Amino acid sequence: DVARLAPTCRTPGTSTVVRSQHAAMASNDDILGARTDSYRMAVLSGSAASSSSPLGNGNGAAANGSGPGYLEVEAKYDGSKPGAEAAEAEPEPKKKGMFGCCGSNKKDEDRKAQLENLKKELVMTEHRDELSALEERYGTSVTKGLTDEQAAKRRAEEGKNQLSPPKTTPEIIKFLLQMFGGFSTLLWVGSILCFIAYGIQLSQAEEGDQVARDNLYLGVVLAAVVVITGFFSYYQEGKADNIMKSFAKLTPPMCKCRRNGELRIVEAWELVRGDIVEVKFGDRVPADLRLLEVTNVKVDNSSLTGEAEPQKRSVECTDDNPIETQNLAFFSTNVVEGQGVGMVVACGDNTVMGRIAGLASGVDSGETPIAREIEHFIHIITAVAVTLGVVFFVLALILKYEPIDAVVFLIGIIVANVPEGLLATVTVCLTLTAKRMAAKNCLVKNLEAVETLGSTSTICSDKTGTLTQNRMTVAHVCYNGKIEATNTDPKIKDEPFNTDTPEFRDLFLLGTLCNKAIFLPDQADVEILNRKTIGDASESAILKFTEANSNLFKSEAKDSKSSRTEAEREAYPKVAEIPFNSTNKYQVSVHQKESGQYFLAMKGAPERIVTRCSHISRNGAVEEMTDADRQAFEDNNAELGRKGERVLGFCTLDLPVDEFPPGFAFEAQPPNFPLENLVYVGLMAMIDPPRTAVPGAVEKCRSAGIKVIMVTGDHPITAEAIAKQVGIIHAEKTVQMLAEERGCAVEDVDPADAHAIVIRGAQLIDMKSEELDDILANHKEIVFARTSPQQKLVIVEGCQRANQVVAVTGDGVNDSPALKKADIGVAMGIAGSDVSKQAADMILLDDNFASIVVGVEEGRLIFDNLKKSIAYTLSSNIPEIAPFLFFILASVPLPLGTVTILCIDLGTDMIPAISLAYERPELDIMQRKPRDPVRDHLVNSKLIGFSYLQIGMLQASAGFFVYFTIYADFGWNGSDLFGLRRDWDDPTVNDLEDSFGQQWTYDQRKVLEFTGHTAYFVAIVVVQWADLLICKTRKLSIFQQGMWNHNLTFAIFFETGLAAILCYAPGTDAALNMQPLLFRHWLPALPFSFMIFCYDEFRKYQVRKSETNFFYVETYY
């Protein structure tokens, strides 16, 4: 097998993968390290006949589903000659084997090696081998098939014809990941530290002493926040990984198979290699088949290659590439026309689709950008918390505190830095954005994918169904020597050219009559271009075109539900027909006019049509065809071909009445009517046209700094044409375009001059990673055509190596590995396969690429708004931490209690922080370049500096000002509070004197302390009004942005109302240690609130003014 493939791998150092059917002749050890014709071979997967081989697993079950007698071998060409020297060469290391491993590390290596193997292009020989060789290899007969005994034995050795399900993550593990992953970990640590602190306090208390339960309450609340948020996230994202279940749906339940010389209906999983299977129109291919007999067979390979048009099958090998050859039919593709017989050459995991399934279930995109940002944020908060905690732990020891008390202080400071409400805020913000995106036709399956789309810097888009409408449509007509563009928008009724000309009417009539396609019933209310039809793609396109312009018909439909095109056909009865075949490449029919005269109508390949024509229809008259006419035809045909369109030519001939009188007996085989000296009428060109909104969406991506790359399985010419129409190839030129422009050969153009490129899949096969990286880095406009599923995956990995955040769109099964590997996979909701939807993170409900741009804008917006929410939330950390530090350092009565902090973080701050998720985008959101995932973090030093050192300090100042005001109002001067803590907190001291000599009992002091807590809490609420307003924008003035976010306006009233309820509602004094305040105690914080607002307006003005000044460089977060 390797020797037969020698021409495909003749560069020293390069390798190819060969799937060998001859493994039964040798053990793995025989093959491993063997050399033939300068090739060194190594087993990649499968196992040979010898189960005793060290590489075999002894039970015939291979790692990738293949079994004994079925090997994939890597053949590496080193240019040396076989012989003694070769025999002495060291064999390839056995670590490349997929089994025979020891330990978990070896298993991981094996899984990785299997995945790398699946990424390689499969080279197989079955489509080129002689039929007799295949019969001998499989011990089968084309006429009789296998015997039951042969089939049973082979099935026992190789397994069933079904895809092997991968290991799935148990639901409990998924739940625990939600409960303990990411930000939840920080809250759990905080909760545990609270319980430890409470335990220390409890252990140090003497019998009868009352221990403050603040740390206990805080620990319980933190744990509750994590559990509730974890349940919520699991509910939002909880779904089984059903990718392989979706693949399983591709397997037909039953099929026709020849066994023991008779035709049987068997279950598809029973098939083995060598079985002879019959398929017909409407069947799903049950395994990879080498076709032996075909009768007008066409298969729908769109799920495999992305080609919109059904592909013709034959018994001849037409291409070395197994995907391109016509004598193979692949597992799970549909037979849309004809019938045939094939030999099973691959089953289950070893089919082309099985390899795709293996890739789709094996690849992993890793962490999402937002998950990485949350982790980065945790690192920052942890560093800040631990640093502050250690510093003040040391200070507490210096200030002669007991070590146990210092430890409690350390824990308290660390916990105080934990933003308890932020996890819930982030989760709810992402959920709200996901709902908003769903309303705009973007259904998000994974909450974190909401932001990922906003971080996207490269979109690898499939062509068929995403950029295009996924239906063949007549895009151009050519008559009178002129090309006219037709209307391809279903919402527009009229054509953009004059249809009331004799030549167009002649062409229109021929398109109507040379057509067998019909509409499915009961579609009168459906737009014509969206109606379903019976017939091949080209004829269906012409049918829709003629029906859309049915006002040109003379005939009327039978009723409102009938087609006028079909009524027009009945007006010209067909009396004879020669069907299309691959040899003639034309279809011809004879029709009778109302007058009784017969005329001939022919449709076919343009070059075949024009050679049969001696005359041309011009300006309503028939004239002799000149050389200039033929040249005009060649030019028009070439121009339409360059547009990537499928072109059909039309010609006609009025048959003389004297030779063909009414009632003439026409014969099709052989024809007794003329097929030469016909009259050329014109051309119709069809293509799957771009969606109308796509060019604008691509342009918007370009202005947003996002590179759009087309990755399609379709033909390069078609791919390039669509890329130009939608703007993927826009400002730059390819080498071919430059050569045409300069009038020179392609070889004479310096590739460095071309910044646009179209790359075929065949070129990717031998391309090294470095070469691909160079192309991706140095070409602004890129199209990959005729790519395989493995190559799509390699392209995505290439983009990710360049630190790009990659979004991949696709609708077919072939797209699933790339969808899974991408940072965000985007599947099509209407035309997308179940497999692609399961592999994706997001589904476009309208299948429109333009919806992705809406999603990008929403993703960028949520990233901006999360920044604002975090800035808002963190700014209250300093006024929450500072009282505790002041309590330790100055030994004053505690300015703010733990329970009060919870009222802020989980009460008054929560709704305002969430309301920022509704904030409208600032003006430049889609004019910015994508954020750099390495440098542009969700939380950076500038945001920490802004929230902690600027706004946070002002808020803490407001809190302390109110704190000292409260104590002064009740007789305690500020200077007298310093050093008072020990006596203040001593329950045995009931005669402590204030600054005016009044005595205070312990209970009275605690009421005043809790009043101070309440006043400090209210001060934070008041300054948070200003903080919420300034966090509406990062750059614009609030007067530019406006107050259109009514949720935010509601949030201001909500937090104020909640603060009032906590202050004055009965029972809050006992439950939350809150005390009612005098109205005047709400007022001292107002100047600080106004100061915050004015400062930030000035800061934003400086930020807008210049990108080089101090305020932009140091404070624009």
Side-chain angles (χ1 to χ4, degrees):
D1 287 343
V2 173
R4 282 199 300 277
L5 292 165
T8 68
C9 181
R10 280 292 191 181
T11 305
T14 61
S15 61
T16 189
V17 178
V18 183
R19 186 167 67 194
S20 173
Q21 309 288 357
H22 292 130
M25 293 188 246
S27 71
N28 286 337
D29 285 337
D30 295 330
I31 295 169
L32 189 70
R35 301 169 64 89
T36 176
D37 193 26
S38 305
Y39 287 86
R40 177 181 293 176
M41 292 177 286
V43 177
L44 292 179
S45 65
S47 69
S50 174
S51 61
S52 62
S53 165
L55 287 175
N57 59 8
N59 60 10
N64 71 340
S66 58
Y70 203 104
L71 277 176
E72 285 185 356
V73 176
E74 182 180 42
K76 189 168 187 178
Y77 183 73
D78 57 14
S80 62
K81 298 292 181 185
E85 182 183 343
E88 292 171 4
E90 291 184 11
E92 289 287 326
K94 291 191 179 184
K95 67 180 181 181
K96 286 194 176 183
M98 295 299 296
F99 3 73
C101 54
C102 301
S104 59
N105 289 339
K106 181 60 180 168
K107 290 179 180 178
D108 290 340
E109 289 177 13
D110 286 347
R111 280 194 292 268
K112 190 173 181 181
Q114 182 181 5
L115 192 60
E116 289 302 315
N117 172 34
L118 289 173
K119 289 180 185 176
K120 296 180 181 180
E121 292 299 310
L122 174 66
V123 180
M124 56 190 292
T125 64
E126 289 88 344
H127 58 301
R128 294 185 305 204
D129 291 341
E130 293 294 331
L131 184 56
S132 56
L134 289 175
E135 285 185 301
E136 182 181 351
R137 182 180 306 169
Y138 298 133
T140 188
S141 163
V142 171
T143 55
K144 296 182 179 180
L146 296 171
T147 63
D148 288 334
E149 292 75 16
Q150 285 177 303
K153 182 180 179 183
R154 190 162 291 164
R155 193 180 310 112
E157 292 173 346
E158 301 177 8
K160 297 177 181 179
N161 177 36
Q162 57 190 24
L163 303 179
S164 303
K167 291 181 180 178
T168 56
T169 305
E171 290 300 309
I172 184 63
I173 300 297
K174 293 181 181 180
F175 174 71
L176 291 176
L177 287 173
Q178 292 290 352
M179 202 66 71
F180 294 99
F183 196 73
S184 301
T185 307
L186 186 61
L187 296 188
W188 278 120
V189 170
S191 178
I192 292 168
L193 289 176
C194 286
F195 292 132
I196 292 173
Y198 178 70
I200 291 172
Q201 290 173 316
L202 205 60
S203 66
Q204 294 298 306
E206 295 181 4
E207 189 174 348
D209 287 351
Q210 187 175 357
V211 178
R213 297 185 178 182
D214 287 9
N215 281 320
L216 176 63
Y217 295 153
L218 182 55
V220 171
V221 169
L222 286 175
V225 167
V226 180
V227 171
I228 292 169
T229 311
F231 269 109
F232 181 74
S233 298
Y234 177 75
Y235 172 75
Q236 289 292 322
E237 299 180 9
K239 56 187 181 301
D241 192 2
N242 289 323
I243 290 178
M244 295 304 293
K245 293 181 183 178
S246 299
F247 272 105
K249 293 179 184 177
L250 299 175
T251 309
M254 310 296 287
C255 61
K256 291 182 179 179
C257 173
R258 296 176 185 173
R259 289 269 176 88
N260 296 330
E262 60 185 25
L263 186 64
R264 296 183 185 175
I265 296 178
V266 301
E267 293 191 68
W269 62 262
E270 295 182 44
L271 294 180
V272 296
R273 291 181 298 121
D275 266 327
I276 308 300
V277 175
E278 294 186 8
V279 291
K280 67 179 187 311
F281 166 71
D283 287 349
R284 182 170 284 173
V285 180
D288 283 359
L289 304 180
R290 159 72 183 272
L291 294 175
L292 312 174
E293 304 169 17
V294 297
T295 306
N296 297 325
V297 172
K298 285 187 178 180
V299 292
D300 178 9
N301 278 354
S302 59
S303 65
L304 198 62
T305 64
E307 292 169 297
E309 192 166 354
Q311 301 298 300
K312 180 178 176 294
R313 300 289 93 175
S314 68
V315 295
E316 293 85 20
C317 175
T318 57
D319 200 298
D320 284 345
N321 185 340
I323 299 294
E324 301 290 343
T325 189
Q326 292 185 358
N327 66 340
L328 289 179
F330 299 105
F331 166 69
S332 84
T333 59
N334 293 310
V335 181
V336 296
E337 192 175 319
Q339 57 187 20
V341 177
M343 180 187 296
V344 176
V345 294
C347 296
D349 292 336
N350 298 300
T351 61
V352 172
M353 195 63 75
R355 290 173 64 86
I356 295 174
L359 269 180
S361 60
V363 297
D364 182 21
S365 61
E367 282 188 316
T368 60
I370 192 68
R372 292 193 289 269
E373 291 304 318
I374 294 293
E375 185 179 352
H376 178 258
F377 172 58
I378 291 170
H379 291 161
I380 291 176
I381 289 295
T382 304
V384 170
V386 171
T387 301
L388 279 174
V390 170
V391 167
F392 284 93
F393 172 76
V394 173
L395 284 174
L397 293 176
I398 293 172
L399 294 171
K400 308 298 184 183
Y401 281 96
E402 291 294 327
I404 292 296
D405 290 338
V407 170
V408 173
F409 293 157
L410 167 69
I411 292 173
I413 292 171
I414 291 174
V415 172
N417 274 279
V418 176
E420 294 87 352
L422 199 56
L423 174 61
T425 299
V426 170
T427 304
V428 173
C429 287
L430 291 174
T431 304
L432 291 173
T433 304
K435 288 183 69 176
R436 197 158 62 229
M437 290 173 72
K440 297 179 180 179
N441 294 314
C442 297
L443 180 64
V444 177
K445 292 169 55 184
N446 176 1
L447 282 183
E448 292 179 351
V450 169
E451 190 281 326
T452 306
L453 196 56
S455 304
T456 297
S457 54
T458 299
I459 299 176
C460 294
S461 178
D462 185 34
K463 177 186 72 69
T464 307
T466 309
L467 298 172
T468 64
Q469 299 176 21
N470 197 24
R471 56 167 175 256
M472 292 295 285
T473 305
V474 176
H476 291 90
V477 293
C478 177
Y479 59 93
N480 257 355
K482 290 194 307 180
I483 295 176
E484 300 282 4
T486 66
N487 165 45
T488 57
D489 187 345
K491 297 177 182 177
I492 300 174
K493 301 300 181 185
D494 299 325
E495 295 296 340
F497 59 92
N498 181 19
T499 59
D500 192 19
T501 63
E503 297 77 18
F504 177 73
R505 285 179 176 274
D506 288 345
L507 178 62
F508 191 73
L509 180 62
L510 293 177
T512 302
L513 300 179
C514 295
N515 197 338
K516 294 180 180 177
I518 59 171
F519 289 113
L520 289 173
D522 301 324
Q523 297 188 90
D525 297 331
V526 181
E527 290 173 334
I528 292 172
L529 292 181
N530 292 330
R531 291 181 188 174
K532 295 180 180 179
T533 62
I534 297 174
D536 72 33
S538 297
E539 292 197 339
S540 296
I542 295 173
L543 170 64
K544 292 176 182 179
F545 175 66
T546 55
E547 188 68 19
N549 293 280
S550 58
N551 58 300
L552 300 176
F553 290 140
K554 297 176 182 177
S555 308
E556 292 292 333
K558 296 175 182 176
D559 53 61
S560 60
K561 295 184 178 181
S562 300
S563 163
R564 289 189 69 181
T565 301
E566 294 171 33
E568 187 76 355
R569 289 177 192 166
E570 293 175 7
Y572 296 90
K574 184 190 298 183
V575 295
E577 180 180 19
I578 300 176
F580 180 91
N581 63 62
S582 57
T583 305
N584 294 335
K585 291 191 177 179
Y586 64 75
Q587 176 252 331
V588 62
S589 54
V590 178
H591 301 264
Q592 189 172 24
K593 297 180 182 179
E594 194 175 353
S595 63
Q597 183 183 11
Y598 296 110
F599 69 98
L600 179 145
M602 180 182 284
K603 172 191 75 178
E607 63 278 7
R608 296 295 180 95
I609 293 295
V610 78
T611 57
R612 295 181 175 274
C613 294
S614 58
H615 292 74
I616 186 171
S617 174
R618 182 186 292 116
N619 298 325
V622 175
E623 300 176 5
E624 191 169 338
M625 203 172 194
T626 64
D627 290 341
D629 293 328
R630 293 185 184 278
Q631 186 58 48
F633 161 81
E634 294 290 347
D635 294 342
N636 290 332
N637 190 32
E639 183 177 342
L640 293 171
R642 283 193 295 271
K643 293 179 184 292
E645 298 177 9
R646 183 180 182 190
V647 187
L648 292 174
F650 293 85
C651 60
T652 186
L653 182 66
D654 285 337
L655 301 179
V657 177
D658 54 346
E659 292 184 40
F660 302 93
F664 182 83
F666 287 95
E667 296 288 342
Q669 296 296 335
N672 60 350
F673 48 88
L675 296 176
E676 303 287 344
N677 298 319
L678 308 179
V679 179
Y680 171 74
V681 176
L683 305 171
M684 286 189 185
M686 283 136 290
I687 197 168
D688 180 9
R691 294 177 179 271
T692 52
V694 168
V698 171
E699 179 56 37
K700 204 166 184 180
C701 285
R702 186 176 284 108
S703 67
I706 300 170
K707 179 189 280 190
V708 181
I709 299 174
M710 181 190 289
V711 185
T712 179
D714 214 339
H715 195 279
I717 294 176
T718 306
E720 183 177 349
I722 294 295
K724 290 176 181 176
Q725 290 181 50
V726 300
I728 291 176
I729 295 180
H730 172 63
E732 306 296 338
K733 292 183 171 65
T734 64
V735 172
Q736 291 79 5
M737 292 164 68
L738 288 174
E740 189 175 330
E741 190 178 274
R742 298 173 184 177
C744 63
V746 172
E747 294 77 17
D748 297 332
V749 178
D750 184 356
D753 294 341
H755 295 290
I757 191 169
V758 179
I759 300 176
R760 299 167 182 256
Q763 296 170 269
L764 275 174
I765 292 175
D766 301 320
M767 193 177 286
K768 295 179 180 177
S769 297
E770 295 78 13
E771 294 176 275
L772 179 59
D773 293 345
D774 182 66
I775 288 170
L776 293 170
N778 297 316
H779 290 83
K780 298 177 183 177
E781 299 172 354
I782 307 174
V783 172
F784 291 97
R786 270 293 188 258
T787 53
S788 67
Q790 291 88 343
Q791 289 169 341
K792 291 187 179 186
L793 183 59
V794 167
I795 292 165
V796 172
E797 290 176 333
C799 293
Q800 290 175 330
R801 280 197 300 273
N803 287 325
Q804 300 291 305
V805 177
V806 185
V808 170
T809 72
D811 60 352
V813 176
N814 58 322
D815 299 315
S816 56
L819 287 170
K820 189 87 180 296
K821 179 63 179 173
D823 295 288
I824 178 167
V826 183
M828 303 298 112
I830 300 173
S833 63
D834 287 344
V835 178
S836 66
K837 291 176 188 176
Q838 291 293 344
D841 302 294
M842 192 175 91
I843 299 170
L844 296 185
L845 300 178
D846 60 352
D847 287 15
N848 196 341
F849 179 85
S851 297
I852 297 176
V853 180
V854 174
V856 169
E857 189 165 358
E858 287 289 348
R860 289 189 174 190
L861 177 59
I862 194 57
F863 188 80
D864 276 10
N865 287 348
L866 280 176
K867 266 183 176 285
K868 296 170 185 177
S869 288
I870 291 172
Y872 171 81
T873 304
L874 291 184
S875 61
S876 61
N877 262 20
I878 288 296
E880 291 171 358
I881 297 168
F884 199 61
L885 303 180
F886 195 57
F887 169 69
I888 297 170
L889 297 178
S891 194
V892 297
L894 185 63
L896 188 67
T898 303
V899 174
T900 323
I901 290 174
L902 289 178
C903 291
I904 297 169
D905 289 348
L906 299 177
T908 57
D909 269 3
M910 185 76 78
I911 298 300
I914 291 171
S915 73
L916 286 166
Y918 292 94
E919 192 58 43
R920 296 192 307 177
E922 296 184 53
L923 298 178
D924 64 344
I925 194 167
M926 287 302 283
Q927 300 299 318
R928 303 199 303 251
K929 290 183 178 179
R931 71 178 183 89
D932 184 341
V934 178
R935 293 183 301 173
D936 301 334
H937 293 295
L938 180 67
V939 178
N940 52 27
S941 58
K942 296 177 186 178
L943 188 147
I944 293 292
F946 173 78
S947 295
Y948 276 25
L949 303 180
Q950 296 172 51
I951 307 303
M953 287 300 185
L954 288 171
Q955 290 190 350
S957 301
F960 282 117
F961 181 71
V962 175
Y963 168 77
F964 284 114
T965 300
I966 287 286
Y967 278 86
D969 271 6
F970 286 91
W972 296 87
N973 291 334
S975 57
D976 293 333
L977 295 175
F978 290 85
L980 191 64
R981 185 183 71 86
R982 193 173 298 277
D983 289 337
W984 184 277
D985 289 336
D986 189 343
T988 63
V989 177
N990 287 301
D991 55 357
L992 191 64
E993 292 185 356
D994 63 17
S995 303
F996 297 95
Q998 298 178 94
Q999 291 186 343
W1000 291 72
T1001 65
Y1002 176 77
D1003 290 338
Q1004 288 173 330
R1005 295 196 304 271
K1006 283 300 168 184
V1007 170
L1008 177 56
E1009 182 181 324
F1010 295 150
T1011 303
H1013 292 181
T1014 307
Y1016 196 108
F1017 160 74
V1018 167
I1020 293 178
V1021 170
V1022 171
V1023 290
Q1024 283 289 69
W1025 295 344
D1027 189 24
L1028 185 60
L1029 292 176
I1030 68 174
C1031 286
K1032 276 173 62 68
T1033 61
R1034 294 194 298 144
K1035 195 172 186 179
L1036 294 180
S1037 164
I1038 190 173
F1039 301 105
Q1040 293 173 303
Q1041 182 79 348
M1043 286 294 294
W1044 301 107
N1045 183 354
H1046 300 308
N1047 294 290
L1048 184 141
T1049 307
F1050 165 78
I1052 292 176
F1053 286 100
F1054 172 84
E1055 69 172 330
T1056 308
L1058 180 59
I1061 291 171
L1062 293 174
C1063 287
Y1064 303 114
T1068 55
D1069 55 340
L1072 303 174
N1073 295 331
M1074 289 287 194
Q1075 295 294 322
L1077 293 180
L1078 297 173
F1079 176 72
R1080 69 172 185 266
H1081 291 150
W1082 285 71
L1083 304 179
L1086 284 174
F1088 291 89
S1089 190
F1090 183 70
M1091 191 188 309
I1092 289 171
F1093 180 81
C1094 292
Y1095 162 72
D1096 198 65
E1097 279 295 309
F1098 171 75
R1099 182 189 67 85
K1100 287 174 184 169
Y1101 169 72
Q1102 294 295 330
V1103 166
R1104 295 193 301 274
K1105 190 175 178 181
S1106 170
E1107 294 189 3
T1108 58
N1109 66 26
F1110 169 83
F1111 287 95
Y1112 186 92
V1113 173
E1114 297 298 332
T1115 71
Y1116 181 57
Y1117 59 87

